[in-house]
Amino acid sequence: MYTDTVFLSATTTPFSYFPIVLQLVAALGFVGITMLATHFLGPKRKTSDKLINFESGIEQKGNARQPVAIKYFLTAILFVLFDVEVIFFYPYAVNFRELGWEGFVAVLMFVGFFLCGFIYITKKGALKWED
Amino acid sequence: MNALISTALSGVVLMFVGLFVRNKQHIKFFAIAAIIIAFIANLAQYPSVQLGGYVMYGMIEVTKFGVLFNAVALGTTLLYFLLSGSEFEKMGEHVADYFALIFFILAGISLAASFSNLLMLFLAIEIMSIPQYILAGADKKSLKSNEASLKYFLMGSFSTGILLMGITLIYGAAGSFEIAALGLGAESVHPLALCGIILMVFALAFKVSAVPFHFWTPDVYDGSPTVFTAFMSTVVKAGGFVAFLRMFHTSFAGGSISHHWTLILSLITAGTLVLGNFSAVFQQSVKRMLAYSSIAQAGFMLFAVVSLNSMGSQGIILYSAAYSIATIGVFAVLMKLKDYTFEGFNGLARKEPLLAGAVAVFLFSLAGIPVTAGFFAKYFVLSAAILNGRLLWLVVLAVLCAAISVYYYFRVIIAMYFKTGEPEVEQTSGGFKAALVLAIALVLVLGLFPNLLLCWL
Amino acid sequence: MPVQYYIFLSIALFCIGVMGVLMRRNAIIIFMCIELMLNAVNLLMVSFSKMWADAGRVDAGSAQLFVFFIMVVAAAEVAVGLAIITMVYRNTHSVDINILNRLKN
Amino acid sequence: MLTVLLILIPFIAGLISFGLKGSGPKVLGIISSLATVVIAIGTWCTFRTTPDSLDFVADWIPQLGSQFRVGLDGMGVMLCLLTAVAFLLIFITIYSRDYEKPGSFYGLMLLAQAGLMGVFTAYDALLFYIFWELALIPVYFLCSLWGGEKRIAVTFKFFIYTFLGSLLMMVGIIYLYFQTQDHSFSWAAFSSLPLGPEKQKWLFWLFFVAFAIKMPVFPFHTWQPDTYEQSPTPVTMILSGLMVKMGLFGLIRWCLLLVPQGVGMWSDVAIVLCIIGIIYASAIAMVQNDIKRLIAYSSIAHIGLMCAAIFADNEQSLQGVLIQMFNHGINIIGLWIIVDVIQQRLGVKNMDQLGGMARKAPRMAIFFVIISLANIGLPLTNGFIGEFLMLSGLFEYNHWFMAFAGLGIILSAVYTLGMIQKVIFGESNELTETTTDLQPGEALALSLIVIMILVLGVYPKPMLDLVSSTTEVFNKVF
Amino acid sequence: MTLLSIDWFFIIEKVLLISVVLVLSLVVAMYSTWGERKVAAWIQDRLGPNRAGPMGLLQPLADGGKLFFKEEIIPTNSSRFLFILGPSIAMMVACMTSAVIPWGDTLVIAGRPVSLQIADVNIGILFIFGVVSMGVYGIMIGGWASNNKFSLLASVRAASQIISYELPMGLALIALLMLTGSLSLKDIVEQQRHSLWNVCYQPLGFFIFLVCAFAECNRAPFDLPEAENELNGGYHLEYSSMKLGFFLFAEYINMFISSALIATMYFGGYAFPYMDSLGLDPNVVTILGFVALFIKTLCFIFFFMWVRWTVPRFRYDQLMRLGWKVMIPLALANMLITGALILARQH
C-alpha cells in the first residue's frame, strides 16, 4: 500500500497528474450539467426579432465575419514569435545557477537578438495602433 | 563559424539599415559591403581549420570543406548582388528586408555546411527555407507570386515534418543526434533507423527538388519574382545539397546501411535526370526552362551524394560554383528582357553582343562544354559515380541526359545568334556589364583551372 | 507505459497529418495538419528521450532540447505561413488551394 | 615547343580576328595559316631528326594528374601537316569571297583549326577531350551562322550527336583514369593499363561510338549528309577533310591502343557496320542528283573503308589508312572546292541542271577530272596506294570482307564517273553557258592540290616513312 | 484500502478536495459580485445591494437563480455549436486553474498525510500558464460564434490584449523562477516559509505580474473587451441565461485565482510569519495557513475592485503600447537584473 501511495503522489510520474484529470472530469460535469439545466429550465418563446443579432437596435447589415484590421493578425503573429522566445528562458532559468556567468553572457546575447527583433518591429510600426 | 556569425549579424544589420537609410538605392551597397566582410571573415578562418575541424559544443564542426563551400556560396552571392542588386529596388519598399532575408538564408547555408548534429541540420534546413517562403511571395500584388509562396510554404513545411520524423526515428534507434556518433553502420540495421533514413532521403530530396518530390519546383520558381528565383534555384539549392551530402556521407556511409538508401537514391537520381531534362525540353518560357533545368542539374548534384566518395565533395563544391555563377548570370540577363520566352531572345547577339556572349558562355557552362566551369563540375560528379563502380548505368543515363540538355540550352543560343528579332532590352549600367565580364571570367578560369578552387580542399 | 504506445500514437498522429496534407484542399487545414505532424514528432521525440534516459544515456535530455527547437521553428513557420495565407486571402478571397493553379498553364 | 605553336598560332590569330574588320581577317587568316604550314613542315623536319623534342609538358591540374602534355608521332605530324595545308588551301580559295561579319567567320575558322591541332597533338586524355569539344563548337557556330536555309535544325542535330558521343568517351576516359596506378591522364599511363577482356569488351563501345559518330560510320551517319549540304563550303571542307580524321585518329590513338582486346572482340561487328555503310552510301550516292550530297555519301563510303581497314588489324592496312587519311583529306577538299566554284557561279547543286561545263571552264574541268580520279583511287594518283594497302590488308583479314569493300570501290568509280559525266561533259544548257573559269585564288589552291595528288601518287615514300613510326607501335601491340 | 492496486483513499481524498475547491471558488466568485457592488457603492458613496437578505447577502443567489431561469437565446445567424462551446471553455478554464495551487500545508488525518493541494506537479506555473491561455479560446469562439460585429471586434480585442500581456507575465515569472529554481508552487511557498516573501526580492516582478493579471482577467482598467460604451457590452453581447452567467462567473473566478496565485507566489501563500515558532499542533498551523492564504487572497480581490472604481479605462492604443513597449522591456530588465544579482551573490 505504501509503495502505491508513493507512486501516486510522487511529483515526477505521470500519475501526479491524475488529480488534475479528476478535476477536469468534475469541471466538465459541472459545466455540462449547468448548460443542460439552463437549457431545460428557461422559458422558450422565440420570435424572429428576438433571434436576430443585436446591433444597437438598427437592422443588421451584411455578415459580421469580415476581415478585421491586419493589426490584430500582426499582434497574433508577433505573439507567437516572442512567446516562443520567452519559452527559451524557462530551461535557462531552471539551470542558470549551474551555468553561471558564461550562461548569463549567452543569454545576454539572446536577449540582444530578442531586443533587435523588438526594436525592429517597433520601428517598422507593427505596434503602432494610433493611426 | 565566422561565416555563420557574420551573415547572421549582417542580416540583423541590414534589417536596421532599412529603417534608417532613406534612399533605397544605397541599401545595396551596404549589402555588398556586408557580404564582402562575411567572405573575408570566412576565409580568415581557413588557416585554423586547415589541419583539422574545429568543433563547437558537439553542434558545429567547421571543416575545410565547410569553409570552402561557404566561400563559394558567399562569393556567388556577391556576384548575385553585383548583377541583380538593383533589381531588388523594383520589388517595393522593403528592399533592406529582402537583403536581410538573403543573409539569413546564407546563415542557414553556412550552418548546413558545418553541422555535426541533427539538430543543427534541422535548423540549417529551416533557416534556409523560411526566408525563401517570404521571398517567393515578395510580389504581394501578383497572384502568381502569392501562389508560389503558398505552395512553397505548404510543401516546404510538409517536408520539414517528414525530415523531423526521420530524425526522430533515427534518434530512437541510435540514441544520439551527433552525426558522427550515430553508429548505424553495424551489421544489422534497426528498422526504426531504416524508416528514418528513408524519410530523410525523401525530405531532403524534397528540399533539393529531386523527382518525384520536385512537383513544387517549376511552379514556385516560375511564380516567384525572377530576382529571387535566381537565388533560390542556385545558392540555396547548393546549400541543400551540402546538407544532404554531409548528412549521408558522415552518418550513413558505412557498412550495410549504405546499401539500403543508395538504391533508392540512385533511382531518385535517375528519375530526376530524365524527368528534369525531358520536361525542360518542352518549355516555352526561358524562366520555366531554367526551373526544370535546375531539377536536371539537381540530378547531377545527386551523383555527388549517391556515389559516397571524396570526389563527390569536390564535385559538389565545383558544381555549386559553376552552376550558381552560370544560372545567376543567365537570370541577370533574363531580367533585363521584357519577354521571357525563347522568342524574346531572338536577335539579342546583334543588339547586345556582350549580354548574348555572356549568356552563351553561361549556357555552355550549364551544358558542360569544356573550357567552362560546368565541364569540370560534370566531370567531377561523373567521376565520383564511376569511382563508386556500381553506378555505371546511372552514368550512361546521365550522359544521355546531358546530351538532351544541350537541346534546350542551345535553343537560347540559337535564338540569340541565329535568329533575327528585335528584343526589348533594358538599358544596362556599366557596373552590370563589368560584373557580367567578371562572371564570364570566373566561368572560364574555373573551366581551365578547377584546381584554383579545389586546391583549398 | 512502454515506449511502443507512444510510438504507435505518434505514428498514427503523423499519418493523420500526412493524410490531411495530401487530401484536404483548404490551406489552413493543410497547415494545421502540418502542425499536427510536427507535434506528433515532438511527442515521439520526448518519449524517445525518456526511453534513452531510462536506458542510462546521460545526454538523453538533448532530445527535449530538440523539441524546443522544433517548437520555435514551428512558431516561425506559423508566423510566415499565416502571413502568406492572409496575403493570399486578401487577393483571392479564398484559401482553397484548388484555385491556385494559375501557374500550371 | 613547335607543337605548342601549332595550337597557339591559330588560337591567338583567331582571337585577334574577332576584333578585325574589312579584309583584315582574310589577310590574318592567310598569314596565320602560312605560318602554321611552315611550323608543321618544321615539325616534320624535327621529327626526322629528334622526335623527342616535339614533346611538351606543363603542369595543368596536378590534383587530377592531368597535364598539358602535347607531342607528335608520325601520324600526328602527318595530320597536323594536313590540317595546316588544308586551312591554307581553304583560305586561298575563299580569299575572293566576302562573308558577312568576316571577323567572326575567320576567328571561328582559326579557333576550329586550333582545336583540331590540339586533338592531333594531345597526349593527355583530358586535354584530348577538351580539344575534341573545342574543335566542335566553332564549327557548330560556323554552320549555324553562315549555312543554308535549314542550317539551324541540321547543325543542331549534328551538335547533339557528336556531343553525346564525346560524353560517352568522357565516361570511358574517367573510367580508365581510375584504373591507372598513379591516377594520371597521360597517354603513356593509359596505354600501359592491364585491362581484362571483360572490361575492354564494353569500354570499347564507349570510345568507338564517339569516334564512329564523328567519322561517321553506319548507323551513326544520319547527321552527315544534311550537315555537309547545309554548311558553307569552307566549313564542309573542314568537316569532311579534317574533322572526319579526328574520328579515325581517335580510333587509332585512343581506342586501338588502349583496348586492343576489345577491338579484337568487336572487329567483325565493326567491319560489318563499315561495309554496310560503304555499300549503303555508295548505293545512295549513285542515285543522288545533288552534287553536294553525292560527295557527302561518297565520303561516308571512303571513311567506311578506312575504318574497316583499321579493324583489319594488320600493318599493311594500317599503313594504308594512315596514308589515305592524308590523301583523302586533300582529295575531298579539292572536290569541295570544285563544287563550291560551281555553286558560286551557277547557284545550283542539282546535277540535272548542269552539263557541258568543260567547254566554258576547261581548267576547272581538268582539275575536276584529276581530283575525281584520285578520289576513286586510280593508279598514279595518291588515292591508289592507300586504297591498295587497305584492301590487301582486309584481304589478309577476311576474303569476304575484302570482296564487299572492293565492291564499294567499284561503285565509287561508277558514281564518280557519272558525276563527271553529268557535270562536265554532255550538252551545255542556258545556265552552264554563263559560267566562267577559275579565278586565280581557286586556281592556285586547286593546282597545289593536283600537284600533291600527283607527287604523292608517284612518290609516296616520304609519307610512308612518316607513318612507319606509328605502325611500328602497333606491331608491338599485336 | 487498496483494490486493483489503486489507493482508493487517495482518490476519495482528492475528490473531496476538488469538490471543496470548486465550490469554494464558485462561492467566492458569487460573493465577489456582491462585494464588487458593495465596494463600488462604498467608493461612490452609495448603498449597493441591500434588499435580498441582510446587507443584500442573498443577492448573488438571486442573480444566479435568475440566470438559470432566463430564456436561452441563440441567434439564428450564429454557429450553434460554437456559441455553446465558447462560454463552456471559459468556465472550464476557470475551474481548472485551481488544481495546482497549494491551499495549505499537509493535514494529518488518522495518521495519513493529506495535502491541501489537488496536484503538486513540478511544472505548476507552466500548467497555470497553459490553462489560462486556453481562456482566450472561450472569448474568441464566443465572439466569433455570435456573428455580431461588436462581439467579433470585442473578442479580437480581447484576444490581442490577453496574448500581449502574456509575454511580460511570462518574463516576470522567469525572474521568479530564477529566484526559486522550481516551477512547483508548493516549493515556492515552502521557500518563502523560511525566508522573506518573494515580493521583497521581486518588487518589480510583482508589479508587472499584477498589471498583467489585471489585463488577463479583462479587469478595469483593461476591460476593453467589454467596454460597454463603445461595444455594447463586448464579446458576450448576444448571450443570455447561464451562458452569459458563465462568462461573468469565469471572470470572477479568474480574479479569485489570480489573487490566490499572486498571494502564493509573491506573498508567501499559506505561510505566515512565525508560523513554525508558535509551537502549535501541525494541523492547526495548516488550518491557520489556509486562513492566512484566504485573507491575502481577499485583500487582492479587494484591490482588484478598488482599482476598478478608481482608475479610468485605457484607450486601446494606450493599452497595447503599455503592454508591448513598457511591460516587455521592463520585464526583460527585471529578469536580467535578477539574474545578475543572484549570480553576483553566489560568487
Side-chain angles (χ1 to χ4, degrees), chain D residues 278-289:
Chain D
I278 294 171
I279 308 284
Y280 169 82
S282 307
I284 292 183
M286 283 203 295
V287 295
Q288 240 353 293
N289 269 331

Side-chain angles (χ1 to χ4, degrees), chain D residues 8-225:
Chain D
L8 267 186
I9 290 174
F11 184 73
I12 291 168
L15 289 185
I16 294 170
S17 169
F18 278 106
L20 297 179
K21 287 195 174 64
S23 60
K26 285 183 193 173
V27 177
L28 183 70
I30 297 276
I31 294 172
S32 150
S33 50
L34 257 179
T36 321
V37 170
V38 170
I39 303 272
I41 291 170
T43 55
W44 191 359
C45 301
T46 319
F47 182 73
R48 293 165 70 119
T49 53
T50 51
D52 290 342
S53 66
L54 289 173
D55 294 346
F56 177 85
V57 181
D59 263 355
W60 181 32
I61 313 173
Q63 280 168 320
L64 288 182
S66 178
Q67 286 168 313
F68 187 85
R69 181 190 290 272
V70 289
L72 286 170
D73 65 349
M75 178 168 63
V77 170
M78 186 192 75
L79 285 170
C80 286
L81 192 63
L82 173 66
T83 310
V85 170
F87 269 87
L88 183 63
L89 292 175
I90 292 167
F91 286 143
I92 292 172
T93 317
I94 62 173
Y95 190 78
S96 55
R97 313 269 165 77
D98 284 315
Y99 286 93
E100 229 181 307
K101 287 193 283 184
S104 308
F105 183 82
Y106 281 86
L108 289 169
M109 291 283 274
L110 288 166
L111 286 186
Q113 190 188 10
L116 283 162
M117 289 293 191
V119 168
F120 295 140
T121 54
Y123 264 91
D124 181 282
L126 200 61
L127 195 66
F128 171 72
Y129 179 79
I130 286 177
F131 279 123
W132 178 272
E133 292 288 332
L134 215 58
L136 171 65
I137 290 166
V139 171
Y140 168 69
F141 272 90
L142 283 167
C143 297
S144 299
L145 280 172
W146 286 275
E149 290 149 24
K150 289 187 291 177
R151 63 187 190 279
I152 292 174
V154 166
T155 52
F156 203 23
K157 183 168 150 194
F158 155 64
F159 187 86
I160 289 184
Y161 255 89
T162 43
F163 187 63
L164 175 65
S166 43
L167 280 175
L168 288 175
M169 176 170 76
M170 185 167 87
V171 173
I173 289 176
I174 296 174
Y175 184 83
L176 288 180
Y177 163 72
F178 283 119
Q179 304 300 313
T180 55
Q181 284 296 320
D182 48 350
H183 282 207
S184 154
F185 277 109
S186 73
W187 188 81
F190 271 34
S191 56
S192 59
L193 276 177
L195 291 169
E198 273 308 305
K199 285 177 183 163
Q200 298 205 5
K201 201 170 179 178
W202 56 265
L203 270 172
F204 166 76
W205 282 100
L206 289 180
F207 286 95
F208 179 65
V209 168
F211 302 135
I213 289 175
K214 207 77 164 192
M215 282 191 258
V217 169
F218 179 88
F220 306 104
H221 68 284
T222 52
W223 60 270
Q224 191 241 32

